[in-house]
Short mmCIF file of all heavy atoms in Angstrom, two decimals:
data_model
loop_
_atom_site.label_atom_id
_atom_site.label_comp_id
_atom_site.label_asym_id
_atom_site.label_seq_id
_atom_site.Cartn_x
_atom_site.Cartn_y
_atom_site.Cartn_z
N GLY A 15 -4.86 -10.14 7.40
CA GLY A 15 -6.22 -9.60 7.37
C GLY A 15 -6.93 -9.86 6.06
O GLY A 15 -7.99 -9.27 5.80
N VAL A 16 -6.39 -10.75 5.22
CA VAL A 16 -7.08 -11.10 3.97
C VAL A 16 -8.44 -11.70 4.32
O VAL A 16 -8.53 -12.59 5.18
CB VAL A 16 -6.25 -12.12 3.14
CG1 VAL A 16 -7.05 -12.61 1.93
CG2 VAL A 16 -4.93 -11.49 2.69
N PRO A 17 -9.52 -11.21 3.72
CA PRO A 17 -10.86 -11.71 4.06
C PRO A 17 -10.98 -13.22 3.85
O PRO A 17 -10.37 -13.79 2.94
CB PRO A 17 -11.78 -10.95 3.10
CG PRO A 17 -11.03 -9.72 2.72
CD PRO A 17 -9.59 -10.13 2.71
N PHE A 18 -11.80 -13.83 4.68
CA PHE A 18 -12.05 -15.27 4.60
C PHE A 18 -12.51 -15.65 3.20
O PHE A 18 -13.34 -14.98 2.60
CB PHE A 18 -13.12 -15.68 5.62
CG PHE A 18 -13.47 -17.14 5.57
CD1 PHE A 18 -12.61 -18.09 6.07
CD2 PHE A 18 -14.64 -17.56 4.95
CE1 PHE A 18 -12.92 -19.45 6.01
CE2 PHE A 18 -14.96 -18.89 4.89
CZ PHE A 18 -14.10 -19.85 5.41
N GLY A 19 -11.99 -16.73 2.71
CA GLY A 19 -12.32 -17.21 1.37
C GLY A 19 -11.27 -16.83 0.36
O GLY A 19 -10.89 -17.64 -0.49
N TYR A 20 -10.79 -15.59 0.45
CA TYR A 20 -9.75 -15.13 -0.47
C TYR A 20 -8.36 -15.51 0.05
O TYR A 20 -7.37 -15.35 -0.66
CB TYR A 20 -9.84 -13.62 -0.65
CG TYR A 20 -11.16 -13.18 -1.24
CD1 TYR A 20 -12.16 -12.65 -0.43
CD2 TYR A 20 -11.41 -13.32 -2.61
CE1 TYR A 20 -13.38 -12.26 -0.96
CE2 TYR A 20 -12.64 -12.93 -3.15
CZ TYR A 20 -13.61 -12.40 -2.32
OH TYR A 20 -14.81 -12.02 -2.85
N ASP A 21 -8.31 -15.99 1.28
CA ASP A 21 -7.01 -16.33 1.87
C ASP A 21 -6.38 -17.58 1.24
O ASP A 21 -5.23 -17.91 1.54
CB ASP A 21 -7.14 -16.50 3.38
CG ASP A 21 -8.25 -17.46 3.78
OD1 ASP A 21 -9.02 -17.90 2.91
OD2 ASP A 21 -8.35 -17.75 4.99
N ARG A 22 -7.11 -18.27 0.37
CA ARG A 22 -6.57 -19.45 -0.32
C ARG A 22 -5.93 -19.08 -1.66
O ARG A 22 -5.30 -19.92 -2.29
CB ARG A 22 -7.67 -20.49 -0.55
CG ARG A 22 -8.20 -21.10 0.74
CD ARG A 22 -9.37 -22.03 0.45
NE ARG A 22 -9.85 -22.64 1.68
CZ ARG A 22 -9.51 -23.85 2.09
NH1 ARG A 22 -8.68 -24.58 1.37
NH2 ARG A 22 -9.98 -24.34 3.22
N TRP A 23 -6.14 -17.86 -2.10
CA TRP A 23 -5.59 -17.43 -3.37
C TRP A 23 -4.13 -17.02 -3.24
O TRP A 23 -3.62 -16.79 -2.14
CB TRP A 23 -6.41 -16.26 -3.91
CG TRP A 23 -7.75 -16.66 -4.44
CD1 TRP A 23 -8.28 -17.92 -4.49
CD2 TRP A 23 -8.74 -15.80 -4.97
NE1 TRP A 23 -9.53 -17.89 -5.03
CE2 TRP A 23 -9.85 -16.60 -5.34
CE3 TRP A 23 -8.82 -14.42 -5.18
CZ2 TRP A 23 -11.00 -16.07 -5.91
CZ3 TRP A 23 -9.95 -13.89 -5.75
CH2 TRP A 23 -11.04 -14.70 -6.11
N ARG A 24 -3.48 -16.93 -4.37
CA ARG A 24 -2.08 -16.46 -4.42
C ARG A 24 -2.01 -15.06 -3.82
O ARG A 24 -2.84 -14.18 -4.12
CB ARG A 24 -1.61 -16.43 -5.88
CG ARG A 24 -0.18 -15.97 -6.09
CD ARG A 24 0.16 -15.94 -7.57
NE ARG A 24 1.55 -15.58 -7.79
CZ ARG A 24 2.06 -15.34 -8.99
NH1 ARG A 24 1.29 -15.42 -10.08
NH2 ARG A 24 3.34 -15.02 -9.12
N ARG A 25 -1.02 -14.85 -2.96
CA ARG A 25 -0.82 -13.54 -2.34
C ARG A 25 0.54 -12.99 -2.74
O ARG A 25 1.56 -13.68 -2.62
CB ARG A 25 -0.90 -13.64 -0.82
CG ARG A 25 -2.27 -14.03 -0.31
CD ARG A 25 -2.34 -13.92 1.20
NE ARG A 25 -1.41 -14.82 1.85
CZ ARG A 25 -1.69 -16.06 2.24
NH1 ARG A 25 -2.89 -16.56 2.01
NH2 ARG A 25 -0.79 -16.80 2.83
N ILE A 26 0.55 -11.75 -3.19
CA ILE A 26 1.78 -11.06 -3.54
C ILE A 26 1.86 -9.78 -2.72
O ILE A 26 0.91 -8.99 -2.69
CB ILE A 26 1.85 -10.73 -5.04
CG1 ILE A 26 1.92 -12.03 -5.86
CG2 ILE A 26 3.06 -9.83 -5.35
CD1 ILE A 26 1.93 -11.81 -7.36
N GLY A 27 2.99 -9.58 -2.07
CA GLY A 27 3.23 -8.36 -1.31
C GLY A 27 4.18 -7.46 -2.05
O GLY A 27 5.19 -7.91 -2.59
N VAL A 28 3.86 -6.16 -2.10
CA VAL A 28 4.69 -5.20 -2.83
C VAL A 28 5.77 -4.66 -1.89
O VAL A 28 5.47 -4.10 -0.83
CB VAL A 28 3.85 -4.05 -3.39
CG1 VAL A 28 4.72 -3.13 -4.24
CG2 VAL A 28 2.68 -4.58 -4.21
N PHE A 29 7.02 -4.83 -2.31
CA PHE A 29 8.17 -4.43 -1.49
C PHE A 29 8.81 -3.17 -2.04
O PHE A 29 8.93 -2.99 -3.26
CB PHE A 29 9.22 -5.55 -1.48
CG PHE A 29 10.45 -5.22 -0.68
CD1 PHE A 29 10.49 -5.49 0.68
CD2 PHE A 29 11.56 -4.64 -1.28
CE1 PHE A 29 11.62 -5.18 1.43
CE2 PHE A 29 12.69 -4.33 -0.55
CZ PHE A 29 12.72 -4.60 0.81
N ARG A 30 9.22 -2.30 -1.12
CA ARG A 30 9.99 -1.11 -1.48
C ARG A 30 11.09 -0.94 -0.45
O ARG A 30 10.89 -1.21 0.74
CB ARG A 30 9.09 0.12 -1.50
CG ARG A 30 9.79 1.38 -2.01
CD ARG A 30 8.83 2.56 -2.10
NE ARG A 30 9.48 3.74 -2.63
CZ ARG A 30 8.89 4.93 -2.75
NH1 ARG A 30 7.62 5.06 -2.38
NH2 ARG A 30 9.56 5.96 -3.23
N GLU A 31 12.24 -0.47 -0.89
CA GLU A 31 13.36 -0.27 0.03
C GLU A 31 12.92 0.62 1.19
O GLU A 31 12.16 1.57 1.00
CB GLU A 31 14.53 0.39 -0.69
CG GLU A 31 15.18 -0.47 -1.74
CD GLU A 31 16.35 0.22 -2.40
OE1 GLU A 31 17.35 0.49 -1.72
OE2 GLU A 31 16.25 0.51 -3.61
N PRO A 32 13.39 0.33 2.41
CA PRO A 32 12.87 1.03 3.59
C PRO A 32 13.12 2.53 3.63
O PRO A 32 12.20 3.29 3.96
CB PRO A 32 13.55 0.31 4.76
CG PRO A 32 14.73 -0.38 4.17
CD PRO A 32 14.35 -0.72 2.77
N VAL A 33 14.33 2.98 3.30
CA VAL A 33 14.59 4.42 3.40
C VAL A 33 13.76 5.21 2.39
O VAL A 33 13.08 6.16 2.77
CB VAL A 33 16.10 4.74 3.29
CG1 VAL A 33 16.32 6.26 3.28
CG2 VAL A 33 16.87 4.11 4.44
N PRO A 34 13.76 4.85 1.10
CA PRO A 34 12.89 5.57 0.16
C PRO A 34 11.41 5.50 0.51
O PRO A 34 10.67 6.47 0.33
CB PRO A 34 13.18 4.89 -1.18
CG PRO A 34 14.56 4.35 -1.04
CD PRO A 34 14.65 3.91 0.40
N ARG A 35 10.95 4.36 1.02
CA ARG A 35 9.52 4.26 1.39
C ARG A 35 9.19 5.19 2.53
O ARG A 35 8.19 5.94 2.48
CB ARG A 35 9.15 2.82 1.75
CG ARG A 35 7.64 2.64 1.98
CD ARG A 35 7.28 1.23 2.35
NE ARG A 35 7.45 0.96 3.75
CZ ARG A 35 6.52 1.24 4.69
NH1 ARG A 35 5.38 1.82 4.36
NH2 ARG A 35 6.73 0.94 5.95
N LEU A 36 9.99 5.18 3.58
CA LEU A 36 9.73 6.04 4.73
C LEU A 36 9.89 7.52 4.37
O LEU A 36 9.16 8.37 4.86
CB LEU A 36 10.65 5.66 5.89
CG LEU A 36 10.35 4.28 6.48
CD1 LEU A 36 11.48 3.82 7.40
CD2 LEU A 36 9.03 4.27 7.22
N TRP A 37 10.85 7.83 3.52
CA TRP A 37 11.04 9.18 3.02
C TRP A 37 9.78 9.64 2.27
O TRP A 37 9.31 10.76 2.43
CB TRP A 37 12.26 9.19 2.11
CG TRP A 37 12.62 10.49 1.46
CD1 TRP A 37 12.38 10.85 0.16
CD2 TRP A 37 13.32 11.60 2.05
NE1 TRP A 37 12.89 12.10 -0.10
CE2 TRP A 37 13.47 12.59 1.04
CE3 TRP A 37 13.83 11.85 3.31
CZ2 TRP A 37 14.11 13.80 1.26
CZ3 TRP A 37 14.47 13.07 3.54
CH2 TRP A 37 14.61 14.02 2.54
N SER A 38 9.20 8.74 1.46
CA SER A 38 7.99 9.05 0.72
C SER A 38 6.79 9.23 1.66
O SER A 38 5.97 10.14 1.48
CB SER A 38 7.70 7.95 -0.30
OG SER A 38 6.56 8.23 -1.06
N VAL A 39 6.68 8.37 2.67
CA VAL A 39 5.62 8.51 3.68
C VAL A 39 5.72 9.89 4.33
O VAL A 39 4.73 10.63 4.45
CB VAL A 39 5.72 7.41 4.76
CG1 VAL A 39 4.83 7.76 5.96
CG2 VAL A 39 5.35 6.06 4.20
N TYR A 40 6.92 10.25 4.74
CA TYR A 40 7.18 11.51 5.44
C TYR A 40 6.76 12.70 4.57
O TYR A 40 6.04 13.59 5.03
CB TYR A 40 8.67 11.57 5.78
CG TYR A 40 9.17 12.90 6.28
CD1 TYR A 40 8.90 13.32 7.59
CD2 TYR A 40 9.94 13.73 5.46
CE1 TYR A 40 9.39 14.54 8.05
CE2 TYR A 40 10.43 14.94 5.92
CZ TYR A 40 10.15 15.34 7.21
OH TYR A 40 10.63 16.54 7.67
N HIS A 41 7.16 12.74 3.32
CA HIS A 41 6.84 13.87 2.46
C HIS A 41 5.38 13.86 2.02
O HIS A 41 4.73 14.92 1.97
CB HIS A 41 7.77 13.89 1.24
CG HIS A 41 9.12 14.43 1.55
ND1 HIS A 41 9.39 15.78 1.60
CD2 HIS A 41 10.28 13.81 1.87
CE1 HIS A 41 10.66 15.97 1.91
NE2 HIS A 41 11.22 14.79 2.09
N TYR A 42 4.85 12.69 1.73
CA TYR A 42 3.45 12.62 1.32
C TYR A 42 2.51 13.13 2.42
O TYR A 42 1.57 13.88 2.16
CB TYR A 42 3.09 11.18 0.95
CG TYR A 42 1.65 10.99 0.56
CD1 TYR A 42 1.18 11.39 -0.69
CD2 TYR A 42 0.74 10.40 1.44
CE1 TYR A 42 -0.13 11.22 -1.06
CE2 TYR A 42 -0.59 10.23 1.08
CZ TYR A 42 -1.02 10.64 -0.17
OH TYR A 42 -2.34 10.48 -0.52
N CYS A 43 2.78 12.75 3.64
CA CYS A 43 1.90 13.12 4.75
C CYS A 43 2.00 14.60 5.12
O CYS A 43 1.13 15.13 5.80
CB CYS A 43 2.19 12.26 5.98
SG CYS A 43 1.64 10.54 5.77
N GLN A 44 3.03 15.28 4.65
CA GLN A 44 3.14 16.72 4.87
C GLN A 44 2.28 17.50 3.89
O GLN A 44 1.99 18.68 4.14
CB GLN A 44 4.60 17.17 4.72
CG GLN A 44 5.50 16.72 5.85
CD GLN A 44 6.93 17.18 5.65
OE1 GLN A 44 7.43 17.24 4.53
NE2 GLN A 44 7.60 17.52 6.73
N THR A 45 1.88 16.87 2.80
CA THR A 45 1.18 17.61 1.74
C THR A 45 -0.19 17.05 1.41
O THR A 45 -0.87 17.59 0.55
CB THR A 45 2.03 17.58 0.45
OG1 THR A 45 2.24 16.22 0.04
CG2 THR A 45 3.39 18.23 0.67
N VAL A 46 -0.60 15.98 2.09
CA VAL A 46 -1.87 15.33 1.73
C VAL A 46 -3.04 16.28 1.94
O VAL A 46 -3.10 17.02 2.92
CB VAL A 46 -2.05 14.04 2.56
CG1 VAL A 46 -2.23 14.34 4.03
CG2 VAL A 46 -3.23 13.24 2.03
N GLU A 47 -3.98 16.27 1.00
CA GLU A 47 -5.18 17.11 1.09
C GLU A 47 -6.40 16.27 0.74
O GLU A 47 -6.32 15.36 -0.08
CB GLU A 47 -5.08 18.29 0.12
CG GLU A 47 -3.95 19.25 0.45
CD GLU A 47 -3.87 20.39 -0.55
OE1 GLU A 47 -4.75 20.46 -1.44
OE2 GLU A 47 -2.93 21.19 -0.45
N GLY A 48 -7.50 16.57 1.38
CA GLY A 48 -8.76 15.94 1.02
C GLY A 48 -8.99 14.54 1.56
O GLY A 48 -10.00 13.92 1.26
N LEU A 49 -8.06 14.01 2.37
CA LEU A 49 -8.24 12.69 2.94
C LEU A 49 -8.56 12.79 4.43
O LEU A 49 -8.10 13.71 5.10
CB LEU A 49 -6.97 11.84 2.75
CG LEU A 49 -6.56 11.54 1.31
CD1 LEU A 49 -5.27 10.74 1.30
CD2 LEU A 49 -7.66 10.80 0.56
N GLY A 50 -9.31 11.83 4.93
CA GLY A 50 -9.63 11.81 6.35
C GLY A 50 -10.44 13.02 6.79
O GLY A 50 -10.98 13.76 5.97
N THR A 51 -10.52 13.22 8.09
CA THR A 51 -11.23 14.37 8.63
C THR A 51 -10.27 15.52 8.85
O THR A 51 -9.05 15.34 8.86
CB THR A 51 -11.88 14.01 9.97
OG1 THR A 51 -10.83 13.72 10.92
CG2 THR A 51 -12.80 12.80 9.85
N ALA A 52 -10.80 16.71 9.05
CA ALA A 52 -9.96 17.88 9.30
C ALA A 52 -9.14 17.69 10.58
O ALA A 52 -7.96 18.07 10.63
CB ALA A 52 -10.83 19.13 9.42
N ALA A 53 -9.74 17.07 11.59
CA ALA A 53 -9.01 16.83 12.84
C ALA A 53 -7.85 15.87 12.64
O ALA A 53 -6.76 16.07 13.18
CB ALA A 53 -9.97 16.28 13.91
N TRP A 54 -8.07 14.82 11.83
CA TRP A 54 -7.00 13.86 11.54
C TRP A 54 -5.87 14.52 10.78
O TRP A 54 -4.70 14.33 11.09
CB TRP A 54 -7.57 12.69 10.75
CG TRP A 54 -6.55 11.68 10.32
CD1 TRP A 54 -6.03 10.66 11.07
CD2 TRP A 54 -5.93 11.58 9.03
NE1 TRP A 54 -5.12 9.94 10.32
CE2 TRP A 54 -5.04 10.48 9.08
CE3 TRP A 54 -6.05 12.32 7.85
CZ2 TRP A 54 -4.27 10.11 7.98
CZ3 TRP A 54 -5.28 11.94 6.76
CH2 TRP A 54 -4.40 10.85 6.84
N ARG A 55 -6.23 15.34 9.78
CA ARG A 55 -5.20 16.03 8.99
C ARG A 55 -4.39 16.99 9.86
O ARG A 55 -3.17 17.08 9.74
CB ARG A 55 -5.83 16.78 7.81
CG ARG A 55 -6.33 15.86 6.71
CD ARG A 55 -6.65 16.63 5.44
NE ARG A 55 -7.65 17.66 5.64
CZ ARG A 55 -8.96 17.43 5.56
NH1 ARG A 55 -9.42 16.20 5.30
NH2 ARG A 55 -9.82 18.41 5.74
N GLU A 56 -5.06 17.67 10.77
CA GLU A 56 -4.35 18.60 11.66
C GLU A 56 -3.36 17.84 12.55
O GLU A 56 -2.22 18.27 12.72
CB GLU A 56 -5.35 19.37 12.52
CG GLU A 56 -4.69 20.40 13.43
CD GLU A 56 -5.70 21.18 14.26
OE1 GLU A 56 -6.92 21.02 14.04
OE2 GLU A 56 -5.26 21.95 15.12
N ARG A 57 -3.78 16.71 13.11
CA ARG A 57 -2.87 15.91 13.94
C ARG A 57 -1.70 15.40 13.12
O ARG A 57 -0.56 15.38 13.58
CB ARG A 57 -3.62 14.72 14.56
CG ARG A 57 -4.55 15.08 15.69
CD ARG A 57 -5.02 13.87 16.47
NE ARG A 57 -5.69 12.89 15.64
CZ ARG A 57 -5.23 11.67 15.36
NH1 ARG A 57 -4.05 11.28 15.82
NH2 ARG A 57 -5.93 10.83 14.62
N MET A 58 -1.99 15.00 11.88
CA MET A 58 -0.94 14.47 11.03
C MET A 58 0.08 15.55 10.68
O MET A 58 1.29 15.32 10.76
CB MET A 58 -1.52 13.86 9.76
CG MET A 58 -0.47 13.18 8.90
SD MET A 58 -1.20 12.31 7.50
CE MET A 58 -1.87 13.70 6.59
N PHE A 59 -0.39 16.73 10.30
CA PHE A 59 0.53 17.79 9.94
C PHE A 59 1.43 18.15 11.12
O PHE A 59 2.63 18.41 10.94
CB PHE A 59 -0.24 19.02 9.47
CG PHE A 59 -0.94 18.82 8.14
CD1 PHE A 59 -2.16 19.43 7.88
CD2 PHE A 59 -0.38 18.02 7.15
CE1 PHE A 59 -2.79 19.24 6.67
CE2 PHE A 59 -1.01 17.83 5.93
CZ PHE A 59 -2.22 18.45 5.69
N LYS A 60 0.89 18.15 12.33
CA LYS A 60 1.70 18.43 13.51
C LYS A 60 2.73 17.33 13.74
O LYS A 60 3.88 17.60 14.09
CB LYS A 60 0.81 18.56 14.75
CG LYS A 60 0.00 19.85 14.78
CD LYS A 60 -0.86 19.92 16.03
CE LYS A 60 -1.66 21.22 16.07
NZ LYS A 60 -2.56 21.28 17.26
N ALA A 61 2.33 16.07 13.53
CA ALA A 61 3.23 14.95 13.75
C ALA A 61 4.39 14.93 12.76
O ALA A 61 5.48 14.44 13.08
CB ALA A 61 2.46 13.63 13.66
N PHE A 62 4.17 15.50 11.57
CA PHE A 62 5.20 15.46 10.53
C PHE A 62 5.95 16.78 10.41
O PHE A 62 6.79 16.93 9.51
CB PHE A 62 4.58 15.07 9.19
CG PHE A 62 4.26 13.61 9.08
CD1 PHE A 62 3.12 13.08 9.70
CD2 PHE A 62 5.09 12.74 8.40
CE1 PHE A 62 2.83 11.73 9.62
CE2 PHE A 62 4.81 11.39 8.30
CZ PHE A 62 3.68 10.88 8.92
#
């Protein structure tokens, strides 16, 4: 999904070990505040 024109530049992807990354996603999404809409946050809190 790199925008047209920038797709010719050097691309670097940031890697993190899968278990720590998913563990961080899980905990971060349980405590996130101020992002998205109230309805989105409510759905997310229920999902986690």
Side-chain angles (χ1 to χ4, degrees):
V16 173
F18 178 75
Y20 299 101
D21 51 353
R22 294 175 178 262
W23 286 359
R24 180 182 184 187
R25 294 188 298 269
I26 294 177
V28 185
F29 179 87
R30 186 176 182 184
E31 293 181 65
V33 175
R35 187 180 84 84
L36 293 167
W37 179 257
S38 182
V39 167
Y40 170 76
H41 281 278
Y42 178 76
C43 289
Q44 288 179 325
T45 59
V46 66
E47 296 179 4
L49 297 178
T51 65
W54 177 82
R55 288 193 301 274
E56 182 179 353
R57 286 193 303 113
M58 185 174 65
F59 291 145
K60 287 180 180 178
F62 284 78

